[in-house]
Amino acid sequence: MTTSTRLRQQYLDFFKARGHAVCASTPLIPQGDATLMFNSAGMVPFKPYFLGLKKDLSRAASCQKCFRTTDIDRVGLTLRHLTFFEMLGNFSFGDYFKAEAIPWAWEFLTKDCAIDPALLHPTVFKDDAQAEALWKKQSLKNPVRRLGEDTNFWAMGPTGPCGPCSEIYVDRGPEFGCSSPSCAPGCDCDRYLEVWNLVFTQFDRQGDGSLKPLPRQNIDTGMGLERLALVAQGRTSPFDTDLFSPITDQAAALLKTEPGRSPETALAFRVIADHARAAAMLMSEGIIPSNVERGYVLRRLIRRAVRYGQLLGCAEPFLYKLVPAVLDVFRGTYPDILKAEAIVASGLKMEESRFIETLAAGERELKAVLEKTSGTLAGAQAFKLYDTFGFPLELTKEICGQRGLKVDEEGFAKAKEDAAEVARASWKGSGEKDFLAEGLGSHQSEFTGYASLSERTKVLAARFKGGEGIVVLERSPFYAESGGQVGDTGEMRSADGRSVLAEVIDTQKHEKTTVLMVKGAGLKPGDEVLAEVDAARRRRIMPHHTATHLLNQALRMVLGVQVRQAGSYVDDKRLRFDFTHPKALSAEELHRIEGIVNEEIRKALPVETREMPPAEAVAHGAVTLLGEDYGYQARAVLVGSKGWKSPHERFSLELCGGTHVSNTAEIEAFKIVKESSVAAGIRRIEAVAGPAASEYVTRKAEAHKAAMAALVAKQDALLKDIRALGGEAGPCPEREESSLRSHLKNLENSLTGLKAKKLSGSTAGRKVLETKGIKLCVQKLEGADPKSLRGVSDKVKSELGSGAVFLAAAHAGKLSFVLAATPDLAGKGFDAGSLAKKFAAAHGGSAGGRADFAQGGVPDSDWDQLVASLSGLL
């Protein structure tokens, strides 16, 4: 038997030998294309090539992972319909056309796959004489059949690219037919199974319906691997092929039931095998069950499979036990899914368990309702099952259908909308800003805030009510809230910058236009203004945003590549990052994640941005958000400048329109504050970075100092009271007090370390002198304390290589300093302690230390003279 793995590889090898670039499958979630929920065909990843946006390929072949939601309810009822499937495809972008595509298709099927030509029936569009003539040149055993536009003509829409199709059918025998005298290729019965569809995109349909030849003719073909395996392996159903049989066998063992026991049992096993396979593939890409969009589709699959499992007598979760069988089917083709095995299994088990708990109550309710129902179940009743018991409408329809009843779907939709209206009515927002912004979407505002935080510009539109209003600028440096990043604030000044005209309190997007929420009045269209972003606030936001990129990658490194971002928020005070994961993170995992982020900060990696098509960024391995529409051009943010095309030379690459630091060292430090659950399968990490991290550690240190003082005072008071009453008390519990002091010491050390990192990143005023063959690095630092100076000196020494470091900081008229020597210099007789004492004595201060490190203090005076004095003592 030819295995599916062999068929897949045969196909790719066949077209590789004919000059095609073999492209790996992209994820099930379209990258950078929000118009699609899932990749539903092999051509989807190649849309930029068909549209002429990319031109680096002229012909390609792939085996693409696909998912179609329209077929969920038909899975199991027919032998044709699947949810998840693999589509083999060969594509030409203005290169070859029908004269090559048709002979190649025939050759692959009859020679490489050894399918009997007598079973193959090619069809063409009724007006495509060219394709018919090319088919007749092949060694056909059956006549070419012409079919109509409904089956053999492809169009993107009412107008635009389109073209005829040539579908190849396999005759499975009269026993699969409908017994109609007119049964032939194109019939809806199971006798003639479409295996391969060749689409010849050669026309541009005009508004009047006429067909204009395209300047570049394209080939787009698609052949389901499951159907090819059915034919090549001589099976009667795709569920009997090696793409499904391992899953079915495992399910039979778990459920202790034979699939062929009855038609109802066979149906149940087909549903379970398809849905288990599809659910595992979706979850391996980070999708989690929910009540919206892709998550809802996944939930439908799981619940439908659980329901059929219960019909076979299984009252416990079982789908999760099929995950190893699913992964074994795809182990050699998609090895990355193996990394997600534990996540998928635990997520499935959690969803199954929850549904089983509510299913019994829902079914009892439905059964009671159906006993009083004839003909049609009321929509309001179906919605109650959905809203109260989590009972999917599709499942209600299926159960009703088994009893010969219908469901009032319009009534269900109305009940659902009424419930949503009640929820909306409970919101107390005034809607005033929306009213003010109405109609402003026609104004185009150019964002200039990546390069500059101020801009001389013109007011395009302005509306005010009282002392507040909305303004649109021709060019704006203000970042509008998006991508999880809060909007900028700032001021608008007169053109000469002398007077403040309005305070910008927020920046938002409205109908794709940037609008400024302002306090003030008097601005009108045409006014020239100086727009200034609150620079200090923006500089606190940027470390948080770049830190989320580092955190995202660290999570993938520790928890697995299946982790997906599920939301984020960054402002000047903190960051919040939501991600898919089925359980709480351990203390060890959090420690590793925090350590990875801080390590990349210490490495001082450059952060670069580029504009590029989303497909190109994805081809380079960029991380994207599920379903995000990035347009034709997207902004890619790279951490590690050499890694645009070399993944091993970068830390992270994401599509992101936010504002970022230019080097990870500017983040200074990263501290996880909290990890919690947001929803089933969604975890949240809250953290601080940059100045906010230093402030957080300071607050924690002060809180712990106060806590320790309070504890010691309370212990002293208790001892005093006990002794006053004549009682006996042992010594204070030093162990507990020591633990508190140790914790406090650690926090203080952390704060000192944070300050040292921040200060070491500043090179302002740093000089390297050379006297008597000794390099001396000197720098006066603002805002440093003696402990921080020591930490900075260690870093400067490592950068200096060999020599001495003299660092100082002034406070309240006194200059604290450190003098440090590299090990090699100290080994040659250089004595930092002795030199520091001489220097301090010469300036009315004091100092002390060892040969490699000394510290002291002197009255603050002219810095250059102090440096000259120290140099003279070398």
Side-chain angles (χ1 to χ4, degrees):
M1 181 186 77
T2 304
T3 65
S4 57
T5 300
R6 175 64 182 147
L7 287 171
R8 188 190 291 112
Q9 195 58 49
Q10 270 185 302
Y11 182 87
L12 298 175
D13 290 345
F14 180 90
F15 283 98
K16 182 178 181 181
R18 286 153 183 79
H20 291 63
V22 173
C23 301
S25 174
T26 62
L28 285 166
I29 299 91
Q31 304 296 289
D33 186 350
T35 64
L36 295 173
M37 186 174 285
F38 298 105
N39 271 324
S40 58
M43 61 80 64
V44 171
F46 296 103
K47 282 172 70 174
Y49 294 95
F50 285 117
L51 295 172
L53 301 174
K54 292 191 74 176
K55 298 178 180 178
D56 57 306
L57 289 177
S58 60
R59 53 178 73 178
S62 69
C63 179
Q64 174 63 43
K65 293 185 289 184
C66 298
F67 189 96
R68 290 184 180 171
T69 60
T70 54
D71 298 334
I72 292 177
D73 294 329
R74 301 188 70 184
V75 168
L77 298 174
T78 75
L79 301 181
R80 302 180 181 203
H81 294 94
L82 305 171
T83 52
F84 171 81
F85 61 97
E86 295 177 88
M87 186 171 283
L88 302 167
N90 55 286
F91 311 94
S92 167
F93 315 112
D95 187 2
Y96 65 85
F97 203 48
K98 297 177 189 177
E100 293 82 11
I102 289 173
W104 286 342
W106 184 255
E107 181 183 353
F108 179 74
L109 290 175
T110 59
K111 294 183 179 179
D112 288 62
C113 296
I115 298 174
D116 185 353
L119 300 178
L120 298 173
H121 292 256
T123 67
V124 297
F125 178 56
K126 61 185 179 64
D127 297 331
D128 194 355
Q130 182 188 20
E132 183 178 33
L134 287 166
W135 272 117
K136 287 181 177 179
K137 293 181 180 180
Q138 313 310 312
S139 54
L140 303 181
K141 300 295 183 181
N142 296 299
V144 179
R145 184 176 176 84
R146 292 192 178 205
L147 296 176
E149 188 167 344
D150 57 333
T151 60
N152 279 48
F153 195 91
W154 175 86
M156 184 177 288
T159 60
C162 58
C165 307
S166 179
E167 295 185 334
I168 307 169
Y169 288 82
V170 171
D171 183 359
R172 303 176 64 227
E175 64 272 26
F176 292 96
C178 57
S179 301
S180 169
S182 61
C183 184
C187 183
D188 286 336
C189 72
D190 284 334
R191 175 173 179 175
Y192 295 98
L193 182 68
E194 177 207 331
V195 175
W196 204 343
N197 186 16
L198 316 179
V199 179
F200 311 125
T201 313
Q202 63 186 96
F203 299 118
D204 183 3
R205 179 172 276 161
Q206 306 299 297
D208 61 3
S210 61
L211 299 176
K212 179 182 177 182
L214 285 171
R216 278 179 16 123
Q217 297 176 326
N218 300 321
I219 290 289
D220 164 20
T221 86
M223 175 164 55
L225 177 62
E226 290 78 5
R227 293 192 183 185
L228 178 62
L230 180 158
V231 177
Q233 295 176 10
R235 303 302 186 187
T236 58
S237 159
F239 298 100
D240 298 326
T241 68
D242 62 347
L243 289 163
F244 286 93
S245 56
I247 306 167
T248 304
D249 292 344
Q250 181 63 27
L254 290 172
L255 301 173
K256 298 180 174 58
T257 305
E258 285 300 317
R261 190 179 67 184
S262 68
E264 293 76 19
T265 304
L267 166 63
F269 272 96
R270 289 196 290 267
V271 170
I272 290 168
D274 174 90
H275 291 6
R277 198 172 84 128
M281 297 304 286
L282 290 174
M283 295 181 78
S284 74
E285 294 193 8
I287 300 173
I288 61 170
S290 72
N291 285 329
V292 294
E293 298 180 340
R294 298 180 181 92
Y296 180 63
V297 173
L298 174 59
R299 176 160 281 169
R300 277 183 64 189
L301 294 175
I302 297 170
R303 292 186 169 187
R304 189 165 185 252
V306 170
R307 163 76 178 156
Y308 274 96
Q310 292 206 331
L311 292 177
L312 294 176
C314 183
E316 301 294 329
F318 73 97
L319 283 178
Y320 76 97
K321 296 178 181 178
L322 298 180
V323 172
V326 173
L327 300 189
D328 278 346
V329 170
F330 299 107
R331 182 180 299 274
T333 308
Y334 310 113
D336 281 349
I337 66 173
L338 299 178
K339 301 173 184 176
E341 181 172 357
I343 298 293
V344 173
S346 61
L348 264 176
K349 185 178 182 181
M350 187 185 303
E351 180 66 14
E352 286 185 84
S353 300
R354 286 199 180 108
F355 182 52
I356 288 170
E357 289 173 5
T358 59
L359 186 60
E363 285 193 311
R364 284 195 299 270
E365 177 75 11
L366 180 57
K367 183 179 179 181
V369 171
L370 292 183
E371 287 176 354
K372 306 172 186 177
T373 302
S374 61
T376 302
L377 178 69
Q381 204 71 53
F383 178 71
K384 180 183 177 182
L385 288 165
Y386 167 81
D387 194 41
T388 306
F389 300 99
F391 217 72
L393 174 63
E394 293 75 20
L395 189 52
T396 300
K397 286 167 56 183
E398 195 165 323
I399 294 173
C400 286
Q402 291 166 357
R403 293 185 175 218
L405 301 174
K406 294 182 179 179
V407 177
D408 177 11
E409 294 186 55
E410 288 186 9
F412 176 89
K414 184 179 185 304
K416 190 175 182 181
E417 177 58 31
D418 289 346
E421 197 61 47
V422 170
R424 284 194 290 268
S426 67
W427 182 68
K428 303 299 182 183
S430 67
E432 222 166 71
K433 287 186 172 63
D434 288 338
F435 172 75
L436 287 172
E438 188 176 347
L440 295 183
S442 59
H443 298 284
Q444 296 298 314
S445 180
E446 178 189 354
F447 177 60
T448 61
Y450 290 135
S452 174
L453 297 183
S454 65
E455 183 75 42
R456 295 188 184 279
T457 184
K458 184 169 66 176
V459 175
L460 293 179
R463 292 178 184 170
F464 288 87
K465 186 174 181 179
E468 295 188 359
I470 288 180
V471 173
V472 178
L473 300 178
E474 184 177 56
R475 295 179 309 282
S476 172
F478 295 94
Y479 180 84
E481 181 172 337
S482 59
Q485 180 174 323
V486 70
D488 277 333
T489 59
E491 295 177 338
M492 276 189 283
R493 294 177 167 270
S494 57
D496 59 12
R498 293 179 180 177
S499 57
V500 177
L501 303 178
E503 177 190 357
V504 179
I505 58 175
D506 195 10
T507 308
Q508 295 287 331
K509 283 185 178 178
H510 179 75
E511 299 176 0
K512 297 187 178 180
T513 293
T514 298
V515 294
L516 310 180
M517 313 297 181
V518 303
K519 282 185 177 181
L523 287 171
K524 60 186 183 300
D527 284 353
E528 297 285 341
V529 296
L530 175 63
E532 292 187 336
V533 173
D534 183 337
R537 181 172 179 268
R538 170 79 83 81
R539 282 194 285 267
R540 289 175 64 97
I541 294 170
M542 293 191 297
H544 281 134
H545 203 150
T546 308
T548 64
H549 286 220
L550 301 183
L551 172 59
N552 193 4
Q553 181 59 24
L555 285 166
R556 290 162 64 87
M557 292 168 67
V558 173
L559 305 179
V561 294
Q562 78 286 342
V563 168
R564 286 270 187 177
Q565 180 176 342
S568 68
Y569 179 82
V570 295
D571 62 15
D572 55 321
K573 299 178 182 66
R574 64 195 179 282
L575 70 88
R576 186 179 71 215
F577 192 84
D578 299 342
F579 57 98
T580 58
H581 195 63
K583 59 183 180 180
L585 274 64
S586 66
E588 181 186 354
E589 287 171 332
L590 290 171
H591 180 72
R592 286 175 60 198
I593 290 163
E594 186 177 285
I596 289 170
V597 174
N598 280 309
E599 177 62 24
E600 300 310 310
I601 292 170
R602 284 191 289 272
K603 287 180 181 177
L605 299 174
V607 179
E608 296 182 2
T609 61
R610 284 186 192 175
E611 296 282 332
M612 62 178 66
E616 181 181 339
V618 170
H620 291 327
V623 174
T624 61
L625 285 175
L626 291 181
E628 183 77 9
D629 183 4
Y630 294 101
Y632 291 127
Q633 286 288 110
R635 192 165 183 259
V637 179
L638 171 75
V639 178
S641 64
K642 295 180 181 180
W644 284 108
K645 295 185 179 181
S646 302
H648 64 281
E649 293 187 89
R650 65 171 178 246
F651 183 73
S652 79
L653 177 61
E654 292 191 33
L655 291 184
C656 175
T659 62
H660 292 270
V661 299
S662 59
N663 190 289
T664 58
E666 296 172 43
I667 300 173
E668 300 175 9
F670 172 82
K671 180 69 180 174
I672 293 176
V673 175
K674 184 180 180 182
E675 190 269 344
S676 60
S677 172
V678 178
I682 303 287
R683 307 298 301 179
R684 170 174 292 172
I685 282 180
E686 296 172 57
V688 286
S694 297
E695 292 162 4
Y696 171 79
V697 172
T698 298
R699 288 195 303 272
K700 294 295 285 185
E702 290 172 350
H704 275 270
K705 281 183 179 179
M708 189 179 75
L711 180 60
V712 171
K714 186 174 182 179
Q715 288 174 338
D716 290 346
L718 284 170
L719 285 170
K720 184 177 179 182
D721 289 344
I722 291 170
R723 287 168 181 155
L725 292 171
E728 292 295 328
C732 292
E734 292 292 331
R735 181 176 55 82
E736 293 183 17
E737 184 177 337
S738 174
S739 177
L740 275 175
R741 292 186 185 279
S742 176
H743 193 190
L744 177 61
K745 186 71 174 176
N746 289 338
L747 285 170
E748 290 174 335
N749 289 340
S750 295
L751 180 59
T752 299
L754 286 171
K755 288 181 177 179
K757 290 171 191 171
K758 181 176 180 181
L759 292 167
S760 63
S762 172
T763 57
R766 186 179 295 175
K767 297 178 183 178
V768 177
L769 313 173
E770 188 161 340
T771 303
K772 300 177 182 177
I774 299 174
K775 284 193 292 185
L776 176 66
C777 180
V778 301
Q779 185 180 12
K780 188 175 183 181
L781 295 162
E782 296 295 328
D785 55 40
K787 288 185 178 180
S788 299
L789 289 177
R790 178 165 190 164
V792 177
S793 71
D794 290 337
K795 190 172 189 307
V796 176
K797 273 197 303 179
S798 66
E799 294 173 350
L800 187 63
S802 176
V805 177
F806 178 63
L807 304 177
H811 179 69
K814 181 181 177 181
L815 192 76
S816 298
F817 71 85
V818 297
L819 181 62
T822 57
D824 66 308
L825 186 62
K828 296 176 183 177
F830 183 92
D831 190 339
S834 174
L835 182 61
K837 287 178 181 178
K838 292 178 183 177
F839 169 76
H843 295 278
S846 61
R850 307 181 305 271
D852 63 337
F853 181 83
Q855 58 187 349
V858 296
D860 190 16
S861 59
D862 185 272
W863 174 246
D864 291 334
Q865 290 182 6
L866 290 173
V867 170
S869 171
L870 180 64
S871 297
L873 293 172
L874 289 176

